[in-house]
Amino acid sequence: AQLVLSLRDQYEGLPGPNLWRYTEACWSRLSCGSKLSLDLDQMGRLAGDPWYDRSAMISECAEGGDRWPPLLPSQFTERLDARAFTEGKDDKALVSRLYAGAFREEMRRATRLGYGGLGWGDAEAAQLAEVITSGAAPMLEELHLDGNEIGDEGYKALAAAIRKDGAAPRLSLVSVDSKPAELVAACEDRGILL
């Protein structure tokens, strides 16, 4: 499990070591399940409750955290370039290369991506669709997005990604809360269980 501590807005304009923290946060979000990357800033609302246990802590820290979808290596590099680091400028090229390698490795071998219950909307679904469309996940069999707030635009992006030749050729299951016609048709065309 990856524990993500205080991620909100802490990377903007901070010194060089935060370049590495930002990179590590992006790595931890590549393919790790939604209940395995926790934002501990979310903990505390129920911590004094005698019924607060491991399961409650995981639910509280996984939901509503700032867990974003994986970034393509080019997007990661763009975001690095947009950040103002006072130290570590020379490290940007290195962390960019390291992220690209980690991205390729994690996505290449991922058979299940579990991003359920994260409060994602259309923008996050569209970002994930870009990753799928890129062909980065050739072994992907299951995609779990239930428990999110994805709307029509997000589902259209996912449907387009599923329809793209070579995108996740082994995909056999997509788990979502809503079943809009366009996504249903895309899954039916490929024999994917929805």
Side-chain angles (χ1 to χ4, degrees):
Q2 300 286 331
L3 297 180
V4 180
L5 302 169
S6 305
L7 289 175
R8 280 187 267 333
D9 301 321
Q10 72 173 334
Y11 302 108
E12 294 296 328
L14 294 177
N18 291 295
L19 170 71
W20 288 96
R21 273 190 245 145
Y22 175 75
T23 303
E24 290 166 355
C26 288
W27 280 328
S28 76
R29 289 166 166 77
L30 285 174
S31 61
C32 166
S34 60
K35 302 294 184 199
L36 296 176
S37 183
L38 307 176
D39 180 357
L40 296 182
D41 275 348
Q42 298 296 314
M43 190 170 68
R45 293 185 299 250
L46 302 174
D49 188 320
W51 297 103
Y52 191 78
D53 61 3
R54 179 179 176 272
S55 177
M57 187 267 301
I58 289 172
S59 289
E60 187 175 33
C61 294
E63 295 174 13
D66 67 354
R67 171 103 188 261
W68 57 83
L71 297 171
L72 292 167
S74 59
Q75 294 169 320
F76 177 80
T77 300
E78 287 172 18
R79 291 196 183 182
L80 279 184
D81 290 342
R83 294 183 181 280
F85 296 102
T86 56
E87 296 176 25
K89 292 174 189 152
D90 297 334
D91 290 344
K92 282 186 180 183
L94 173 62
V95 296
S96 229
R97 280 194 314 275
L98 291 172
Y99 179 83
F103 175 87
R104 280 191 299 275
E105 180 64 23
E106 285 296 310
M107 288 297 146
R108 182 181 55 80
R109 66 185 178 142
T111 58
R112 180 184 189 280
L113 293 177
Y115 299 120
L118 295 171
W120 284 6
D122 290 343
E124 292 84 1
Q127 172 59 37
L128 183 59
E130 279 190 61
V131 170
I132 293 168
T133 300
S134 77
M139 305 299 282
L140 183 62
E141 297 170 2
E142 297 182 18
L143 177 60
H144 296 270
L145 294 168
D146 40 334
N148 285 300
E149 300 164 13
I150 301 169
D152 291 341
E153 294 305 311
Y155 285 127
K156 284 179 187 175
L158 289 169
I162 288 169
R163 283 194 167 110
K164 180 154 185 331
D165 278 342
R170 294 181 176 203
L171 189 60
S172 60
L173 172 71
V174 175
S175 179
V176 293
D177 294 325
S178 181
K179 295 182 169 85
E182 196 165 345
L183 184 60
V184 169
C187 288
E188 284 177 354
D189 289 349
R190 292 224 3 228
I192 296 170
L193 181 62
L194 183 62

